[in-house]
Amino acid sequence: IQMNKYLKLIPAIMVMFLLFGCGKKSDIISSDLVQNLTDNVAFTEQLTEISSNNAETRYGLDSKDYIDIMAVIGTAATCDEIVIVKTDDTDNVMELLNQYLENKQEEYDKYRPDEASKLSNPIIEVHNNTITMIISGDSQTAIDAYNEYLRK
């Protein structure tokens, strides 16, 4: 009779494992994701982290738009960059990032058409309250590396 009590708990425990024990990361650690991406994705040049103030200016954000931000960029000669934004307002931040991409596309169409093609296929993913944007010449490898990071 005592065993029946425990047997009844098995389905509930299995559901908990399915919901919480498997699948994707619950939270993205920006520095870990950037490291994973720069290790696994070919960027034209080494990317350098910029300050949150510079990131705000670059992406048209205000400090109230995000909880945390990390951006690594190449020089002006390339479009390569990664930005990770933790936010409570994903819609607003997505709109600002899309506007940034449109402006950058216009600029690079004139300035560096060979680089501008990277902007036609950026990776923009939302996981929980975190938006990740990746611009590289190899979008497929970038999305594969991003998804692999989430599975770890």
Side-chain angles (χ1 to χ4, degrees):
I1 298 174
Q2 191 77 328
M3 185 67 127
N4 282 340
K5 272 202 250 180
Y6 295 112
L7 288 175
K8 290 178 183 176
L9 288 176
I10 290 175
I13 292 170
M14 289 176 66
V15 167
M16 285 176 46
F17 276 115
L18 288 172
L19 291 175
F20 304 109
C22 303
K24 294 186 173 188
K25 285 186 186 300
S26 60
D27 199 19
I28 288 175
I29 299 170
S30 299
S31 58
D32 291 350
L33 177 55
V34 165
Q35 186 66 54
N36 176 282
L37 292 168
T38 55
D39 286 349
N40 293 296
V41 180
F43 292 97
T44 305
E45 58 188 20
Q46 185 170 348
L47 304 181
T48 305
E49 185 173 357
I50 60 173
S51 71
S52 58
N53 287 340
N54 286 345
E56 283 180 23
T57 302
R58 183 179 186 93
Y59 304 108
L61 298 165
D62 187 273
S63 60
K64 68 177 174 29
D65 293 326
Y66 65 91
I67 298 163
D68 190 37
I69 188 168
M70 182 176 190
V72 293
I73 64 171
T75 64
T78 73
C79 294
D80 295 345
E81 64 188 274
I82 303 166
V83 61
I84 302 168
V85 184
K86 293 183 183 188
T87 181
D88 288 327
D89 190 355
T90 55
D91 291 339
N92 181 51
V93 172
M94 286 290 284
E95 187 176 315
L96 292 168
L97 289 177
N98 282 316
Q99 183 62 51
Y100 167 78
L101 286 170
E102 286 177 29
N103 293 340
K104 192 165 179 128
Q105 182 77 55
E106 289 175 19
E107 176 186 330
Y108 274 79
D109 280 343
K110 296 174 191 164
Y111 172 62
R112 291 282 314 264
D114 55 320
E115 281 289 309
S117 63
K118 294 177 184 178
L119 294 164
S120 63
N121 198 18
I123 305 298
I124 302 180
E125 293 288 324
V126 179
H127 177 73
N128 294 336
N129 68 336
T130 302
I131 300 170
T132 302
M133 181 177 75
I134 308 161
I135 301 171
S136 82
D138 190 353
S139 295
Q140 186 58 55
T141 301
I143 194 65
D144 290 347
Y146 173 83
N147 287 330
E148 181 62 30
Y149 170 82
L150 290 180
R151 282 193 291 270
K152 290 182 182 177

